Each structure stands twice: as structure tokens, then as C-alpha cells.
Amino acid sequence: MNGIVLMLLAAVVLAAAYLLYGRWLAKTWGVDADAITPARRMENGKDFTPASAFTAFSHQFSSICGAGPVTGTIVAMAFGWVPVVLWVLIGGVFFGAVHDFGALYASMKNNGKSLAQLIEKYIGKTGRRLFLLFSWLFCIIVIAAFTSMVCGTFKYTAAAEGGVDFTKSYAAGCAGTISILFTFVAIAFGWARQKLSLDGAKEFVLAVVSIVVMFAVGMQFPLYLDLNQWIAVVMVYLVFAGAMPIQLLKQPRDYLTTIMMVVMIVCAVLGIFVLGAQGNADITAPAFVGFSTKSGMMFPVLFVSVACGALSGFHSLVSSGTSSKQVSNEEDAVKVGYGAMVLESFVGILAIIVAGIMYADMNTAGTGALNNGVASTPFQIFAAGIARGMQAFGVDGTVATVFMTMNVSALALTSLDAVARIARTSFSEFFASTNDALALDEEKSGAMKVLGNPWFATVVTLVPGLALTFGGYLAIWPLFGASNQLLGGMTMITLAVFCKCTGRKGAMLYVPVAFLLVCTFTSLVQSIMGCATALSAGTAASVFNSVLQLVFAVLLIVLGFIVAYNCLKELFGKAAGSIPDEEPEWTELGRKNVAAAAADARAPKASGDVAAE
């Protein structure tokens, strides 16, 4: 099949889904343009920070569009490209986008509560703590998988005689330098736009200039580090990205990254058109291989491998954990929640097309990831394919390669800093006594002085993530995929309970819930069996990693089962319309503050105060 035809068909399907199904959901659930959002009502200069529609969209898109839509789709093409395309389109429209928008909307209707806090409100306190533990463990897996991919992209290639092969390592070295610069430039960009009150065209121009300068400096001063050195650099970055106020680093970085990603998507589309005009855009990968491959059976392997391209539970943590605290107008929730997901599905389609076009070249020498090779990672296939398309319409080959190497690493880095932030809030929320979105700000007494400290919680999270990183992303990916989709299933159940309790229609969630639970529990059982088998024939290092993965898999399946059971029990037990949306000014902490103020007003005044009056 021709790649251009597939790209256009997918674009039409996804655009129609956003305009029709996305807007229908917003109307059905009752999006209110006049409602005061949590970002505006509870602004605190840390997590609750009102943002423009594009800035909020940038945060959501750059945070969710990580390694998943590239890595997952290309790995799943072991079954052929047709089943992967079908799942990306069907899953993206009816599963993933509904999931992302629903989590964002439910959080906004409850004063910015995280998904765990929503679970306590609608299901119970035990469910909340178990879910937070599940989320924290899941985030550790994501940190390990994505760190391994990013650092594997940045590391230098060793020369035959030892040392660095500067020719083969140049693009990776440049991308590494640019990534380090990105942190400092993002902080400076955020400060400048706030200090100078920049928005619209001025903000965009400053962002573009900043990106161009970063690339120019990075290409002049490439940084050559090995894998372990890059892991250390990324971990230090995550400490700051996870703990700093969101508007200082994460928000401006997401704005800059989204511009890069949009340019990458445009370059991919143009490249496929130009290659097509030259007769080089035919998909050479097989359309269908079979229901069983070396990777396992199509069910559940394909559905947990694709992950972010169709549905990702991680997205719900972004939607309810950070994005819901930035949306300024409820109408923007459709763009941010549903729109970002369908755009990510389009990135997944582009990855399939690029890998399909590159299939013959990348596999002729037996190095392709599509046939379980090890020399060409999905990131390398994707970067090489789009760089080839960019060269076809006149971009210098070196510039194209550096640009794409930086972009594919940025895909994972932006998810990494988001998940580091979500992981540390999940850790701290576990110990909070109140079920309020501002609990971590308000509760600073006793043990929460330490456990609620963002720096402490971030470091505690990164340590086990670092330990898992050394196993490599290929070893971690099946566990990530299964736990990710299970998280998505639990989110869907919670949304179904939310819809029923608030009198909203939720029938569109029932099929995704049933499918995801069966699929993910099957996959996790297979992961446990695989880890147990690996233990009997591994070296000391592989045994340690297998034990670690086995522990995580068992914990995830037990926690997932308990949370899912409690959610389903409440879904069938709650009365429709029994719990209204949370009143804007009456959060749990808000009630305590009002009660304290009332008590102070009733207390007898001291004689000195009376005399003063």
C-alpha cells in the first residue's frame, strides 16, 4: 500500500472523530464555558497555574506523546501493519481520547483532584491508597523504560580501536548537548515571557529563536558520553523537573517541545509526500504476519505493546494530575484532552508508515527491530525514516539527522519529566490525611514535612527507577505495556462511576472497561510466568532484574485486581445522581478553613481587643 493514501485516510478518520465524537462527548457530559476552572479558582503559583489553550495543549501533548506511539507501534508491527493501524484508529478514537478527556473533565469538576483523590471520593479511602501505590510503582517502571531509551539514543558509538567513533556519534552528541541546553533555555524562556508579559505571536517568535539558537550551539559543541554517564545526567535533570514549580521549567519546556514536535510532524508529512512523488513511499512491510509470532499471541501482546498510540493509562495521570490545574476555560478541555490524544494517534500512524517504508532497507542486513533485531531500535528507524524524507525535499542530511535524533529523545524526555512529577505527588498523596487537591500545600506538619517535600519524594521515586533502568527498555516494555493498560482500565471504571454518581451518561465506557481488564490481567500473568522462567537460566545481573520485575508484576496485578473489584462494586451499587459535582468553594480543606474562621468569630474576645475597639 502507498504510504500517502494510508496517511490521508488516517488523518480524515481522526479529524472527523475530534469534530464529531469529541464534541458530542463534551455536549453529553456538560462542558460549561462559563464555569470557573480550578486553575483560576485555586491559583497558587506552583501546580495550579492558568494557561492559554495552546499552552495547556502543549503541556498535555508533549507529556503524553512520549516513546509509546513510536516504540509501541513499531514493535507491534511484528504482527503486520494492518492490525496495528486498525487498533491505533479504533483504540485512539473510542478508547484513548475518551479516557484522556474524561480524566481531565472529571478532575476539573472536582477542584483539580487527582485520579486517586477521585477514587477516594467515589469509591473509598482504601481504594485511593491502593491506587496511589499502583500509580507510584507504575511511574517507576515508566521512568526506567524511558530513561533507558533516551540514554541509549544519546550514548556515543565506540570505535573499533576503542574510544569514540565521532562520525557515527555526531548526531547523538549534538542531541545530547541540545537536551542539556533545553533545561536552561526553558527556564529563561519562561522567565522572559512572564517578565515581559509575552503572549501570542511574540511568545511564539521568542520560542522559535530559542530553539534555533539551541540547535546551532548543539551542532557546534556535541557532547560524547557513554550510557551510564547519560543515565546520571538524566536522573539529575529529573530531580529538578519533578520538584520545581511547574511554571518555572515544565510548562515553558512543554511549549518549546510542542513546537518542535509539530515541525517534526509537518516534516514527516511533507517527506512522505515527496517520497511518494519519487515513487519511494510504498509500504514494504507485510500487511499481516499471523495471530502468533515470536513475541507471543496477538491478544494480548499487540494491544499492550501499542500503548500510547491507542490508549495509555499514564495519560490519565497527566490529565488529572497536571493538565486539569492549567486549563483556563472548560471548553478548552476538549482540545487539550481529546485533541491531544487524536494527534498522538496520528503520530503513531506516521511511525507505522515510516517503519513500513524503511522496512526493506532496515531489514535487508538483518538489523531491523521489525523482525526482533537488536541493531535498529524503533527510535532509530523512525528518526532515519523522517530524516530521509527531509533530505528528499532539500534539508541537509546532517541537520535532518540531528533534528530527528533530538525530537525522538524529546518525545521520551517530556514524558519522563511529567511522570517524575506525577510519581512524587503520588508518593506524597499516599501519606496525606485529607482528600483535597491542595493537601500537599496545606499539610506540612509532622511526618508530612518530609514525606510531602517535593525534593525528598522525587529522589525516593528515582532510586528504584534507576535500579530498573539497567535492565534495558526491551526487558521492561512488556511490563510497562500491561501495567499501563491496566491503569487505563481502572481509570475507565472510575470515570464510569463518576458519570453514574453525577447523573451523566457513561455507557460508552463499558466496552473499553471490559476489554482492558481482560487484556491486561492476561498480559500481567504472562509477564509473571516469563520472569519466573528467566530466573532459572539467568546470570546474576539478569536474575536480579528478573526478580525486581517479578516483584513489580505481582504487586501490580494484586493491586489492580483489588482496585478494579472495588470500582466495579461501586459502579453497580451507587445510585444514579447520588453525588453531585464538587462545589467550587467547598473543598475538604476549604470546609475546615471556613469552620476554623467561624469558630474564631464565635470565640470571646480578649479584654485588650475590646478596649481597643
Side-chain angles (χ1 to χ4, degrees):
M1 185 175 185
N2 187 275
I4 296 176
V5 175
L6 178 57
M7 180 175 65
L8 293 176
L9 286 174
V12 169
V13 169
L14 293 171
Y18 171 76
L19 294 173
L20 299 175
Y21 194 51
R23 292 183 177 179
W24 175 82
L25 280 175
K27 183 178 180 181
T28 300
W29 284 344
V31 166
D32 182 5
D34 297 324
I36 300 176
T37 64
R40 292 161 54 197
R41 183 189 316 117
M42 303 164 69
E43 183 176 0
N44 62 1
K46 295 179 181 179
D47 296 313
F48 288 85
T49 306
S52 65
F54 182 75
T55 299
F57 173 87
S58 298
H59 168 75
Q60 176 81 3
F61 177 66
S62 63
S63 296
I64 69 173
C65 192
V70 174
T71 300
T73 51
I74 294 178
V75 168
M77 284 176 68
F79 297 98
W81 63 264
V82 169
V84 185
V85 166
L86 291 176
W87 173 234
V88 168
L89 293 179
I90 295 172
V93 170
F94 297 107
F95 286 62
V98 176
H99 166 278
D100 294 10
F101 169 59
L104 176 66
Y105 179 71
S107 176
M108 290 173 62
K109 284 299 184 183
N110 285 277
N111 288 299
K113 274 181 164 56
S114 67
L115 189 59
Q117 291 166 336
L118 290 174
I119 286 177
E120 174 167 339
K121 177 176 179 178
Y122 294 106
I123 286 92
K125 182 170 287 188
T126 301
R128 167 185 164 237
R129 290 188 181 274
L130 291 174
F131 180 83
L132 283 169
L133 182 56
F134 180 97
S135 299
W136 186 66
L137 293 172
F138 167 74
C139 287
I140 290 171
I141 295 171
V142 178
I143 288 169
F146 286 14
T147 297
S148 176
M149 277 185 281
V150 169
C151 297
T153 303
F154 287 164
K155 70 176 182 178
Y156 68 74
T157 301
E161 64 278 6
V164 181
D165 186 325
F166 292 101
T167 301
K168 293 182 178 179
S169 303
Y170 176 72
C174 294
T177 302
I178 296 166
S179 292
I180 293 175
L181 287 173
F182 225 120
T183 302
F184 301 100
V185 170
I187 294 173
F189 171 72
W191 176 86
R193 72 177 184 180
Q194 183 177 15
K195 192 74 174 177
L196 303 175
S197 300
L198 299 178
D199 56 13
K202 293 179 180 178
E203 182 183 27
F204 179 78
V205 169
L206 177 61
V208 172
V209 170
S210 300
I211 292 171
V212 171
V213 171
M214 277 191 297
F215 269 85
V217 174
M219 293 185 69
Q220 288 297 315
F221 304 100
L223 184 62
Y224 301 110
L225 300 177
D226 63 23
L227 179 64
N228 291 338
Q229 290 170 328
W230 273 119
I231 289 175
V233 171
V234 170
M235 285 294 163
V236 170
Y237 164 71
L238 291 180
V239 171
F240 289 93
M244 290 175 65
I246 197 166
Q247 76 275 14
L248 293 184
L249 173 59
K250 182 82 177 97
Q251 202 177 74
R253 179 187 168 89
D254 290 341
Y255 186 96
L256 295 170
T257 303
T258 298
I259 292 174
M260 283 175 50
M261 290 182 179
V262 170
V263 173
M264 178 194 73
I265 293 170
V266 171
C267 288
V269 171
L270 289 176
I272 292 171
F273 271 115
V274 174
L275 288 173
Q278 298 173 352
N280 297 319
D282 289 335
I283 297 176
T284 57
F288 180 69
V289 174
F291 291 101
S292 178
T293 68
K294 293 179 180 179
S295 304
M297 296 295 294
M298 182 180 291
F299 181 90
V301 174
L302 181 144
F303 302 99
V304 299
S305 294
V306 173
C308 304
L311 178 134
S312 170
F314 164 65
H315 297 185
S316 67
L317 302 182
V318 177
S319 293
S320 66
T322 54
S323 295
S324 64
K325 300 170 178 62
Q326 298 181 60
V327 176
S328 297
N329 189 307
E330 245 184 50
E331 283 191 333
D332 295 339
V334 185
K335 305 182 187 77
V336 175
Y338 201 97
M341 181 60 219
V342 295
L343 183 58
E344 182 181 23
S345 293
F346 186 66
V347 173
I349 294 293
L350 291 178
I352 296 168
I353 295 171
V354 168
I357 293 172
M358 296 293 289
Y359 179 84
D361 294 341
M362 300 298 278
N363 282 273
T364 300
T367 61
L370 299 179
N371 285 338
N372 298 323
V374 294
S376 296
T377 67
F379 269 11
Q380 289 169 329
I381 293 173
F382 187 66
I386 297 182
R388 176 189 291 184
M390 293 172 68
Q391 292 176 66
F393 61 79
V395 178
D396 177 76
T398 301
V399 173
T401 302
V402 171
F403 176 75
M404 280 310 305
T405 303
M406 179 58 221
N407 264 282
V408 294
S409 60
L411 286 171
L413 270 174
T414 49
S415 288
L416 262 174
D417 50 32
V419 80
R421 190 176 198 86
I422 292 166
R424 66 94 171 162
T425 57
S426 296
F427 176 85
S428 297
E429 280 181 21
F430 182 88
F431 300 98
S433 60
T434 64
N435 185 39
D436 191 272
L438 290 173
L440 299 184
D441 280 343
E442 299 290 337
E443 291 189 33
K444 294 298 182 183
S445 60
M448 281 300 290
K449 286 183 178 180
V450 177
L451 299 173
N453 182 281
W455 301 97
F456 175 81
T458 301
V459 172
V460 168
T461 297
L462 293 179
V463 169
L466 176 62
L468 269 178
T469 297
F470 295 105
Y473 84 91
L474 285 175
I476 305 169
W477 195 260
L479 185 58
F480 159 73
S483 57
N484 188 30
Q485 304 301 71
L486 178 55
L487 177 58
M490 290 191 291
T491 300
M492 287 290 208
I493 304 175
T494 304
L495 294 178
V497 177
F498 160 75
C499 287
K500 184 175 182 180
C501 289
T502 58
R504 294 178 170 90
K505 294 180 180 178
M508 74 289 291
L509 302 169
Y510 297 159
V511 171
V513 165
F515 178 82
L516 290 170
L517 290 181
V518 173
C519 183
T520 53
F521 279 124
T522 302
S523 183
L524 278 173
V525 169
Q526 290 179 350
S527 292
I528 292 173
M529 294 170 62
C531 289
T533 301
L535 284 175
S536 62
T539 62
S542 62
V543 165
F544 171 77
N545 198 266
S546 295
V547 169
L548 203 56
Q549 290 190 51
L550 181 61
V551 170
F552 270 76
V554 171
L555 283 172
L556 290 172
I557 199 169
V558 171
L559 292 171
F561 178 81
I562 295 173
V563 173
Y565 170 77
N566 281 284
C567 288
L568 287 171
K569 184 174 68 173
E570 294 301 318
L571 177 61
F572 293 108
K574 292 284 189 185
S578 58
I579 306 176
D581 294 334
E582 199 164 277
E583 302 90 335
E585 41 303 303
W586 292 96
T587 66
E588 185 172 345
L589 289 171
R591 284 191 290 270
K592 289 184 178 180
N593 292 335
V594 170
D600 289 341
R602 290 193 301 269
K605 296 180 180 179
S607 57
D609 294 335
V610 175
E613 292 179 357

